[in-house]
Amino acid sequence: MAGELRLSLTGPQAAFVTAEDRFPAIVAGFGSGKTEALVNRLLVRKIAYPGGWVGYYGPTFDLINLIAVPRFEGILEQHGFAFKLNKQEMVMKVRKLGAFVFRTMERPERIIGFETADAGVDELDTLKIAHAEHAWRKIIARNRQKKPNGERNTVAVATTPEGFRFTHRQWVKAKADGYKLFHASTYSNAHNLPEDYIPSLEASYPPQLLKAYLEGQFVNLTSGAIYPDFDRKLNHTPETIKADEPLHIGMDFNVYKMAAVVHVMRDGLPRALAELVNLRDTPAMIEAIKSRYGNAGRSITIYPDASGDNKSSKGASLSDIVMLKGAGFQVSVGHSNPAVKDRIASVNGMILNAKGERRYLVNTDACPITTECIEQQVYDETNGEPDKKSGFDHTNDGLGYFLHRRFPIVVNTLQRLQVVGA
Ligand SMILES: Nc1ncnc2c1ncn2[C@@H]1O[C@H](COP(=O)(O)OP(=O)(O)OP(=O)(O)O)[C@@H](O)[C@H]1O
Ligand SMILES: [Mg+2]
C-alpha cells in the first residue's frame, strides 16, 4: 500500500504527491522536481488502486521516451517492482499493480481508445492555450475507470509557468471545483541539483523570466515593453569599431527597410557599434557594408533571418543568402528561425541577467535607431506577439538573430535535464 512506500520528497513535492483534489497542479521552476513529483504521485495512485490504469502524458514523444519512461523505470526498480514496457503500445505492465500508459499530447485527437483511473500531465503549459485545452479535455474524458471504493479519479499537472496560459486560466482564473494549485521554486530542490545549476540560470536569464522559471510564478511574459531592462545609459558604450576588427552583423530583410546592426566582440561579449537602416534591398545593403567596411582582409559575418526561399518582401530569400555569400561575407544562419520567444529571451538575458550584469552594450550615439527600437517596441495587446506595426521591429529582429545565434539560452526541458544529469 501507499503507506509502505518510503519517499524522500521536498515540501512542495510532498504536498502535491499526497493531494486528494481531483486536479492538483504543481506550477514550479526549472529543475524544482516537478517530473519527479508527478512520477511519484502516479506510483502512489497506482499502488492505491492496482486494478486501474494510470496515464502519463507528455508534450512530445521524445520527452516521454527519453525522460519520463526512464524515470518510471528508475522509481519502480528502486521500490522493487518488476515491470515490462511494451514499446509499440507504450504501455508498461507492473507485476501485481496493473499498467501505466504513456501518450503524447502532440495530437490530442489521438487520445482515445483506453481508460484510466488516474493520470498525470507533464509540461502542459508548453502547449499553446487552445492546444492545451483540447488535450486537457481529452485527457479528463479518458479518466473515468471506476475505483472499487468509489474514490474520485484524479488528473495531476506538473508544469513550468509560461506566462498566462492554460494553467493560469484554468487553475487561477476559472478556479473551478477540484482545481488546486501548488507552487515550488527551484531553490526548494537545490540540494538535489548540481551546484552550478541555479547560478548558470541566473547568468543567462533576465530577471523577469527567472521569476517564472526559477520561482515558478505566473508572470505576464507578453505585455508592455519587449526589452524592459534596456537602459540607454547603463547599456551604453562609447566604444567604436577598430580598423580590421572582425564584424558580426545581424540583419533583417524588408524591402526599403533593410536593417543591419554592426557588432564587434570585446572580451567575448557583443557590442553594437554601428547601424545601417532603411536600405532598399540586399544589393544596396551589400554595397553599403562594402563601402564602409570592405577593406580587404576584414572578416565580416552576417546573421540573417532564415525565413527560407520565399519571394516575398519579408524574410531573407535563398537568393539574398547567395548574394551575401557571393559578396564575400560569411553567413551564419540555421535551417529555420528560432522561436520568437527564445530569440527575445536571449536578447533580454544579454541586456541584463539576473546577476545584474549587462553583457550587451550599444553605442547609443552611433546607433540611434537601434536604441529607439529596443526602447520602444512593445507586445501587441491583441495577439501577444511583438508589435510590427509601429516600425520598431527591424533592427531588433536583426540584432536578435545575431544574439540568439551566439548567445542562446537553452530552454528546452530535455536539454535542461541533460544539464542536470551531467
Ligand atoms: N525528491 C527528490 N529526491 C532526490 N532527487 C530529486 C528529488 N526531486 C527531484 N530530484 C532530482 O532533481 C533533478 C530535477 O528534478 P526533475 O527533473 O523532476 O525537475 P523538473 O522540475 O521536472 O525539471 P525540468 O524543469 O527540467 O522539467 C533530477 O535530477 C531529479 O532526479
Ligand atoms: Mg520535468
Side-chain angles (χ1 to χ4, degrees), residues 160-196:
T160 317
E162 295 285 345
F164 295 140
R165 283 194 157 180
F166 181 69
T167 311
H168 183 265
R169 188 178 281 193
Q170 197 69 22
W171 272 264
V172 178
K173 261 169 91 182
K175 263 201 223 145
D177 258 7
Y179 285 78
K180 176 78 186 278
L181 192 60
F182 300 83
H183 279 291
S185 84
T186 306
Y187 303 104
S188 67
N189 191 40
H191 57 289
N192 293 316
L193 296 167
E195 251 172 48
D196 62 349

mmCIF file of all heavy atoms in Angstrom, residues 160-196:
data_model
loop_
_atom_site.group_PDB
_atom_site.id
_atom_site.type_symbol
_atom_site.label_atom_id
_atom_site.label_comp_id
_atom_site.label_asym_id
_atom_site.label_seq_id
_atom_site.Cartn_x
_atom_site.Cartn_y
_atom_site.Cartn_z
ATOM 1 N N THR A 160 6.105 24.095 -15.816
ATOM 2 C CA THR A 160 6.725 25.398 -15.625
ATOM 3 C C THR A 160 5.710 26.428 -16.103
ATOM 4 O O THR A 160 5.069 26.202 -17.113
ATOM 5 C CB THR A 160 7.978 25.518 -16.520
ATOM 6 O OG1 THR A 160 8.704 24.308 -16.447
ATOM 7 C CG2 THR A 160 8.854 26.665 -16.094
ATOM 8 N N PRO A 161 5.537 27.549 -15.402
ATOM 9 C CA PRO A 161 4.585 28.548 -15.894
ATOM 10 C C PRO A 161 5.153 29.276 -17.109
ATOM 11 O O PRO A 161 6.289 29.701 -17.095
ATOM 12 C CB PRO A 161 4.445 29.506 -14.708
ATOM 13 C CG PRO A 161 5.729 29.372 -13.958
ATOM 14 C CD PRO A 161 6.212 27.963 -14.170
ATOM 15 N N GLU A 162 4.372 29.364 -18.141
ATOM 16 C CA GLU A 162 4.825 30.038 -19.369
ATOM 17 C C GLU A 162 3.955 31.260 -19.602
ATOM 18 O O GLU A 162 3.312 31.386 -20.625
ATOM 19 C CB GLU A 162 4.723 29.079 -20.564
ATOM 20 C CG GLU A 162 5.638 27.880 -20.485
ATOM 21 C CD GLU A 162 7.108 28.225 -20.772
ATOM 22 O OE1 GLU A 162 7.377 29.324 -21.296
ATOM 23 O OE2 GLU A 162 7.970 27.389 -20.441
ATOM 24 N N GLY A 163 3.895 32.154 -18.641
ATOM 25 C CA GLY A 163 3.024 33.312 -18.761
ATOM 26 C C GLY A 163 1.606 32.919 -18.416
ATOM 27 O O GLY A 163 1.370 31.905 -17.758
ATOM 28 N N PHE A 164 0.670 33.733 -18.883
ATOM 29 C CA PHE A 164 -0.731 33.466 -18.552
ATOM 30 C C PHE A 164 -1.316 32.540 -19.593
ATOM 31 O O PHE A 164 -2.042 32.971 -20.484
ATOM 32 C CB PHE A 164 -1.511 34.776 -18.443
ATOM 33 C CG PHE A 164 -1.022 35.635 -17.303
ATOM 34 C CD1 PHE A 164 -0.910 37.004 -17.435
ATOM 35 C CD2 PHE A 164 -0.684 35.051 -16.090
ATOM 36 C CE1 PHE A 164 -0.456 37.786 -16.379
ATOM 37 C CE2 PHE A 164 -0.225 35.816 -15.034
ATOM 38 C CZ PHE A 164 -0.112 37.191 -15.171
ATOM 39 N N ARG A 165 -1.015 31.289 -19.477
ATOM 40 C CA ARG A 165 -1.502 30.314 -20.450
ATOM 41 C C ARG A 165 -2.620 29.460 -19.845
ATOM 42 O O ARG A 165 -3.312 29.872 -18.954
ATOM 43 C CB ARG A 165 -0.325 29.465 -20.938
ATOM 44 C CG ARG A 165 0.529 30.229 -21.944
ATOM 45 C CD ARG A 165 1.456 29.293 -22.659
ATOM 46 N NE ARG A 165 1.870 29.853 -23.943
ATOM 47 C CZ ARG A 165 2.685 29.244 -24.786
ATOM 48 N NH1 ARG A 165 3.148 28.042 -24.504
ATOM 49 N NH2 ARG A 165 3.017 29.797 -25.923
ATOM 50 N N PHE A 166 -2.768 28.235 -20.354
ATOM 51 C CA PHE A 166 -3.915 27.417 -19.947
ATOM 52 C C PHE A 166 -3.952 27.152 -18.445
ATOM 53 O O PHE A 166 -5.005 27.218 -17.816
ATOM 54 C CB PHE A 166 -3.912 26.084 -20.718
ATOM 55 C CG PHE A 166 -5.062 25.206 -20.368
ATOM 56 C CD1 PHE A 166 -6.351 25.545 -20.739
ATOM 57 C CD2 PHE A 166 -4.876 24.050 -19.618
ATOM 58 C CE1 PHE A 166 -7.439 24.750 -20.393
ATOM 59 C CE2 PHE A 166 -5.949 23.240 -19.271
ATOM 60 C CZ PHE A 166 -7.222 23.591 -19.663
ATOM 61 N N THR A 167 -2.789 26.852 -17.875
ATOM 62 C CA THR A 167 -2.779 26.523 -16.445
ATOM 63 C C THR A 167 -3.270 27.711 -15.621
ATOM 64 O O THR A 167 -4.047 27.539 -14.680
ATOM 65 C CB THR A 167 -1.355 26.127 -15.992
ATOM 66 O OG1 THR A 167 -0.861 25.163 -16.905
ATOM 67 C CG2 THR A 167 -1.367 25.556 -14.605
ATOM 68 N N HIS A 168 -2.838 28.912 -15.984
ATOM 69 C CA HIS A 168 -3.295 30.091 -15.255
ATOM 70 C C HIS A 168 -4.802 30.269 -15.434
ATOM 71 O O HIS A 168 -5.538 30.514 -14.482
ATOM 72 C CB HIS A 168 -2.552 31.338 -15.752
ATOM 73 C CG HIS A 168 -2.917 32.573 -14.988
ATOM 74 N ND1 HIS A 168 -3.890 33.445 -15.410
ATOM 75 C CD2 HIS A 168 -2.460 33.056 -13.794
ATOM 76 C CE1 HIS A 168 -4.002 34.425 -14.535
ATOM 77 N NE2 HIS A 168 -3.153 34.211 -13.548
ATOM 78 N N ARG A 169 -5.241 30.094 -16.653
ATOM 79 C CA ARG A 169 -6.661 30.269 -16.939
ATOM 80 C C ARG A 169 -7.510 29.290 -16.126
ATOM 81 O O ARG A 169 -8.513 29.655 -15.515
ATOM 82 C CB ARG A 169 -6.874 30.014 -18.439
ATOM 83 C CG ARG A 169 -8.257 30.354 -18.895
ATOM 84 C CD ARG A 169 -8.385 30.129 -20.372
ATOM 85 N NE ARG A 169 -7.809 31.217 -21.133
ATOM 86 C CZ ARG A 169 -8.018 31.387 -22.435
ATOM 87 N NH1 ARG A 169 -8.775 30.534 -23.108
ATOM 88 N NH2 ARG A 169 -7.477 32.384 -23.074
ATOM 89 N N GLN A 170 -7.082 28.051 -16.098
ATOM 90 C CA GLN A 170 -7.904 27.002 -15.511
ATOM 91 C C GLN A 170 -7.767 26.935 -13.985
ATOM 92 O O GLN A 170 -8.730 26.716 -13.281
ATOM 93 C CB GLN A 170 -7.482 25.671 -16.136
ATOM 94 C CG GLN A 170 -8.469 24.553 -15.967
ATOM 95 C CD GLN A 170 -9.726 24.766 -16.775
ATOM 96 O OE1 GLN A 170 -9.740 25.495 -17.753
ATOM 97 N NE2 GLN A 170 -10.815 24.150 -16.333
ATOM 98 N N TRP A 171 -6.569 27.123 -13.484
ATOM 99 C CA TRP A 171 -6.324 26.927 -12.048
ATOM 100 C C TRP A 171 -6.404 28.232 -11.258
ATOM 101 O O TRP A 171 -6.575 28.206 -10.052
ATOM 102 C CB TRP A 171 -4.957 26.265 -11.823
ATOM 103 C CG TRP A 171 -5.012 24.765 -11.856
ATOM 104 C CD1 TRP A 171 -5.116 23.918 -10.780
ATOM 105 C CD2 TRP A 171 -4.995 23.926 -13.017
ATOM 106 N NE1 TRP A 171 -5.151 22.621 -11.206
ATOM 107 C CE2 TRP A 171 -5.079 22.577 -12.570
ATOM 108 C CE3 TRP A 171 -4.923 24.161 -14.388
ATOM 109 C CZ2 TRP A 171 -5.085 21.494 -13.448
ATOM 110 C CZ3 TRP A 171 -4.928 23.084 -15.262
ATOM 111 C CH2 TRP A 171 -5.012 21.772 -14.794
ATOM 112 N N VAL A 172 -6.221 29.377 -11.947
ATOM 113 C CA VAL A 172 -6.256 30.640 -11.201
ATOM 114 C C VAL A 172 -7.510 31.438 -11.530
ATOM 115 O O VAL A 172 -8.267 31.819 -10.645
ATOM 116 C CB VAL A 172 -4.997 31.495 -11.500
ATOM 117 C CG1 VAL A 172 -5.055 32.819 -10.758
ATOM 118 C CG2 VAL A 172 -3.738 30.730 -11.126
ATOM 119 N N LYS A 173 -7.760 31.640 -12.825
ATOM 120 C CA LYS A 173 -8.898 32.488 -13.203
ATOM 121 C C LYS A 173 -10.228 31.768 -13.020
ATOM 122 O O LYS A 173 -11.124 32.269 -12.367
ATOM 123 C CB LYS A 173 -8.746 32.947 -14.655
ATOM 124 C CG LYS A 173 -8.178 34.361 -14.756
ATOM 125 C CD LYS A 173 -7.786 34.706 -16.157
ATOM 126 C CE LYS A 173 -8.890 35.367 -16.944
ATOM 127 N NZ LYS A 173 -8.428 35.627 -18.337
ATOM 128 N N ALA A 174 -10.353 30.593 -13.601
ATOM 129 C CA ALA A 174 -11.643 29.892 -13.545
ATOM 130 C C ALA A 174 -11.867 29.285 -12.161
ATOM 131 O O ALA A 174 -12.985 29.297 -11.652
ATOM 132 C CB ALA A 174 -11.684 28.805 -14.613
ATOM 133 N N LYS A 175 -10.796 28.800 -11.544
ATOM 134 C CA LYS A 175 -10.859 28.221 -10.189
ATOM 135 C C LYS A 175 -12.068 27.320 -9.988
ATOM 136 O O LYS A 175 -12.785 27.431 -9.002
ATOM 137 C CB LYS A 175 -10.949 29.363 -9.172
ATOM 138 C CG LYS A 175 -9.621 29.749 -8.569
ATOM 139 C CD LYS A 175 -9.863 30.489 -7.257
ATOM 140 C CE LYS A 175 -8.960 31.692 -7.138
ATOM 141 N NZ LYS A 175 -9.558 32.812 -6.472
ATOM 142 N N ALA A 176 -12.314 26.428 -10.920
ATOM 143 C CA ALA A 176 -13.460 25.521 -10.775
ATOM 144 C C ALA A 176 -13.195 24.545 -9.627
ATOM 145 O O ALA A 176 -12.059 24.404 -9.179
ATOM 146 C CB ALA A 176 -13.662 24.780 -12.092
ATOM 147 N N ASP A 177 -14.229 23.872 -9.194
ATOM 148 C CA ASP A 177 -14.116 22.904 -8.099
ATOM 149 C C ASP A 177 -13.068 21.841 -8.392
ATOM 150 O O ASP A 177 -13.022 21.317 -9.503
ATOM 151 C CB ASP A 177 -15.463 22.191 -7.934
ATOM 152 C CG ASP A 177 -16.213 22.758 -6.757
ATOM 153 O OD1 ASP A 177 -15.715 23.763 -6.204
ATOM 154 O OD2 ASP A 177 -17.268 22.201 -6.410
ATOM 155 N N GLY A 178 -12.269 21.534 -7.432
ATOM 156 C CA GLY A 178 -11.316 20.432 -7.587
ATOM 157 C C GLY A 178 -9.971 20.849 -8.153
ATOM 158 O O GLY A 178 -9.030 20.067 -8.145
ATOM 159 N N TYR A 179 -9.880 22.068 -8.670
ATOM 160 C CA TYR A 179 -8.599 22.534 -9.224
ATOM 161 C C TYR A 179 -7.766 23.150 -8.097
ATOM 162 O O TYR A 179 -8.160 24.147 -7.509
ATOM 163 C CB TYR A 179 -8.823 23.569 -10.329
ATOM 164 C CG TYR A 179 -9.298 22.958 -11.628
ATOM 165 C CD1 TYR A 179 -10.634 22.574 -11.795
ATOM 166 C CD2 TYR A 179 -8.416 22.731 -12.680
ATOM 167 C CE1 TYR A 179 -11.069 21.985 -12.982
ATOM 168 C CE2 TYR A 179 -8.838 22.145 -13.866
ATOM 169 C CZ TYR A 179 -10.165 21.773 -14.012
ATOM 170 O OH TYR A 179 -10.579 21.191 -15.175
ATOM 171 N N LYS A 180 -6.634 22.551 -7.803
ATOM 172 C CA LYS A 180 -5.819 23.015 -6.682
ATOM 173 C C LYS A 180 -4.388 23.274 -7.156
ATOM 174 O O LYS A 180 -3.789 22.448 -7.823
ATOM 175 C CB LYS A 180 -5.833 21.933 -5.591
ATOM 176 C CG LYS A 180 -4.962 22.225 -4.393
ATOM 177 C CD LYS A 180 -5.629 23.226 -3.468
ATOM 178 C CE LYS A 180 -4.699 23.648 -2.334
ATOM 179 N NZ LYS A 180 -4.694 22.706 -1.243
ATOM 180 N N LEU A 181 -3.886 24.458 -6.787
ATOM 181 C CA LEU A 181 -2.574 24.882 -7.275
ATOM 182 C C LEU A 181 -1.496 24.743 -6.201
ATOM 183 O O LEU A 181 -1.715 25.100 -5.044
ATOM 184 C CB LEU A 181 -2.698 26.353 -7.673
ATOM 185 C CG LEU A 181 -1.566 26.967 -8.468
ATOM 186 C CD1 LEU A 181 -1.377 26.239 -9.785
ATOM 187 C CD2 LEU A 181 -1.886 28.444 -8.745
ATOM 188 N N PHE A 182 -0.338 24.237 -6.596
ATOM 189 C CA PHE A 182 0.835 24.186 -5.728
ATOM 190 C C PHE A 182 1.972 24.897 -6.453
ATOM 191 O O PHE A 182 2.118 24.733 -7.662
ATOM 192 C CB PHE A 182 1.249 22.738 -5.447
ATOM 193 C CG PHE A 182 0.174 21.940 -4.758
ATOM 194 C CD1 PHE A 182 -0.855 21.355 -5.487
ATOM 195 C CD2 PHE A 182 0.181 21.783 -3.386
ATOM 196 C CE1 PHE A 182 -1.860 20.634 -4.854
ATOM 197 C CE2 PHE A 182 -0.818 21.060 -2.743
ATOM 198 C CZ PHE A 182 -1.844 20.485 -3.479
ATOM 199 N N HIS A 183 2.768 25.668 -5.726
ATOM 200 C CA HIS A 183 3.936 26.311 -6.338
ATOM 201 C C HIS A 183 5.208 25.745 -5.720
ATOM 202 O O HIS A 183 5.203 25.352 -4.546
ATOM 203 C CB HIS A 183 3.927 27.825 -6.098
ATOM 204 C CG HIS A 183 3.037 28.574 -7.030
ATOM 205 N ND1 HIS A 183 3.301 28.707 -8.371
ATOM 206 C CD2 HIS A 183 1.872 29.241 -6.807
ATOM 207 C CE1 HIS A 183 2.344 29.410 -8.942
ATOM 208 N NE2 HIS A 183 1.459 29.751 -8.019
ATOM 209 N N ALA A 184 6.270 25.743 -6.486
ATOM 210 C CA ALA A 184 7.571 25.388 -5.907
ATOM 211 C C ALA A 184 8.641 26.149 -6.661
ATOM 212 O O ALA A 184 8.542 26.341 -7.871
ATOM 213 C CB ALA A 184 7.824 23.893 -6.020
ATOM 214 N N SER A 185 9.654 26.585 -5.941
ATOM 215 C CA SER A 185 10.759 27.255 -6.618
ATOM 216 C C SER A 185 11.882 26.247 -6.825
ATOM 217 O O SER A 185 11.935 25.195 -6.170
ATOM 218 C CB SER A 185 11.253 28.432 -5.784
ATOM 219 O OG SER A 185 12.173 27.959 -4.831
ATOM 220 N N THR A 186 12.762 26.595 -7.729
ATOM 221 C CA THR A 186 13.914 25.729 -7.973
ATOM 222 C C THR A 186 14.747 25.581 -6.705
ATOM 223 O O THR A 186 15.306 24.520 -6.434
ATOM 224 C CB THR A 186 14.763 26.336 -9.119
ATOM 225 O OG1 THR A 186 13.898 26.537 -10.244
ATOM 226 C CG2 THR A 186 15.899 25.417 -9.522
ATOM 227 N N TYR A 187 14.774 26.653 -5.894
ATOM 228 C CA TYR A 187 15.573 26.602 -4.651
ATOM 229 C C TYR A 187 15.118 25.465 -3.733
ATOM 230 O O TYR A 187 15.913 24.899 -2.999
ATOM 231 C CB TYR A 187 15.466 27.933 -3.892
ATOM 232 C CG TYR A 187 15.896 29.125 -4.711
ATOM 233 C CD1 TYR A 187 14.966 30.005 -5.255
ATOM 234 C CD2 TYR A 187 17.250 29.349 -4.974
ATOM 235 C CE1 TYR A 187 15.361 31.087 -6.031
ATOM 236 C CE2 TYR A 187 17.652 30.434 -5.750
ATOM 237 C CZ TYR A 187 16.701 31.295 -6.274
ATOM 238 O OH TYR A 187 17.101 32.355 -7.037
ATOM 239 N N SER A 188 13.808 25.130 -3.795
ATOM 240 C CA SER A 188 13.310 24.084 -2.890
ATOM 241 C C SER A 188 13.920 22.726 -3.207
ATOM 242 O O SER A 188 13.878 21.811 -2.404
ATOM 243 C CB SER A 188 11.780 24.010 -2.946
ATOM 244 O OG SER A 188 11.356 23.543 -4.224
ATOM 245 N N ASN A 189 14.478 22.590 -4.407
ATOM 246 C CA ASN A 189 15.094 21.314 -4.796
ATOM 247 C C ASN A 189 16.611 21.461 -4.977
ATOM 248 O O ASN A 189 17.269 20.590 -5.534
ATOM 249 C CB ASN A 189 14.449 20.809 -6.095
ATOM 250 C CG ASN A 189 14.833 19.375 -6.416
ATOM 251 O OD1 ASN A 189 14.909 18.531 -5.520
ATOM 252 N ND2 ASN A 189 15.112 19.103 -7.688
ATOM 253 N N ALA A 190 17.137 22.588 -4.484
ATOM 254 C CA ALA A 190 18.555 22.884 -4.748
ATOM 255 C C ALA A 190 19.477 21.765 -4.281
ATOM 256 O O ALA A 190 20.475 21.462 -4.933
ATOM 257 C CB ALA A 190 18.940 24.200 -4.072
ATOM 258 N N HIS A 191 19.132 21.094 -3.177
ATOM 259 C CA HIS A 191 20.034 20.051 -2.653
ATOM 260 C C HIS A 191 20.116 18.840 -3.578
ATOM 261 O O HIS A 191 21.003 18.020 -3.434
ATOM 262 C CB HIS A 191 19.616 19.641 -1.235
ATOM 263 C CG HIS A 191 18.200 19.154 -1.143
ATOM 264 N ND1 HIS A 191 17.110 19.989 -1.263
ATOM 265 C CD2 HIS A 191 17.700 17.927 -0.953
ATOM 266 C CE1 HIS A 191 15.994 19.289 -1.142
ATOM 267 N NE2 HIS A 191 16.325 18.035 -0.964
ATOM 268 N N ASN A 192 19.177 18.720 -4.524
ATOM 269 C CA ASN A 192 19.252 17.607 -5.481
ATOM 270 C C ASN A 192 19.809 18.035 -6.834
ATOM 271 O O ASN A 192 19.820 17.248 -7.783
ATOM 272 C CB ASN A 192 17.865 17.003 -5.690
ATOM 273 C CG ASN A 192 17.353 16.311 -4.437
ATOM 274 O OD1 ASN A 192 18.100 15.591 -3.795
ATOM 275 N ND2 ASN A 192 16.105 16.562 -4.075
ATOM 276 N N LEU A 193 20.242 19.281 -6.937
ATOM 277 C CA LEU A 193 20.721 19.798 -8.223
ATOM 278 C C LEU A 193 22.223 20.035 -8.174
ATOM 279 O O LEU A 193 22.770 20.287 -7.095
ATOM 280 C CB LEU A 193 20.002 21.125 -8.547
ATOM 281 C CG LEU A 193 18.493 21.026 -8.761
ATOM 282 C CD1 LEU A 193 17.857 22.422 -8.765
ATOM 283 C CD2 LEU A 193 18.182 20.299 -10.063
ATOM 284 N N PRO A 194 22.870 19.989 -9.336
ATOM 285 C CA PRO A 194 24.301 20.323 -9.341
ATOM 286 C C PRO A 194 24.491 21.759 -8.846
ATOM 287 O O PRO A 194 23.634 22.611 -9.071
ATOM 288 C CB PRO A 194 24.677 20.242 -10.829
ATOM 289 C CG PRO A 194 23.595 19.475 -11.484
ATOM 290 C CD PRO A 194 22.356 19.654 -10.663
ATOM 291 N N GLU A 195 25.632 21.996 -8.213
ATOM 292 C CA GLU A 195 25.860 23.293 -7.586
ATOM 293 C C GLU A 195 25.758 24.469 -8.544
ATOM 294 O O GLU A 195 25.336 25.549 -8.172
ATOM 295 C CB GLU A 195 27.242 23.308 -6.943
ATOM 296 C CG GLU A 195 27.171 23.298 -5.445
ATOM 297 C CD GLU A 195 28.534 23.118 -4.828
ATOM 298 O OE1 GLU A 195 29.462 23.827 -5.260
ATOM 299 O OE2 GLU A 195 28.656 22.265 -3.926
ATOM 300 N N ASP A 196 26.178 24.236 -9.797
ATOM 301 C CA ASP A 196 26.204 25.382 -10.717
ATOM 302 C C ASP A 196 24.892 25.553 -11.489
ATOM 303 O O ASP A 196 24.786 26.407 -12.354
ATOM 304 C CB ASP A 196 27.371 25.237 -11.704
ATOM 305 C CG ASP A 196 27.212 23.995 -12.565
ATOM 306 O OD1 ASP A 196 26.333 23.163 -12.247
ATOM 307 O OD2 ASP A 196 27.959 23.856 -13.546
#
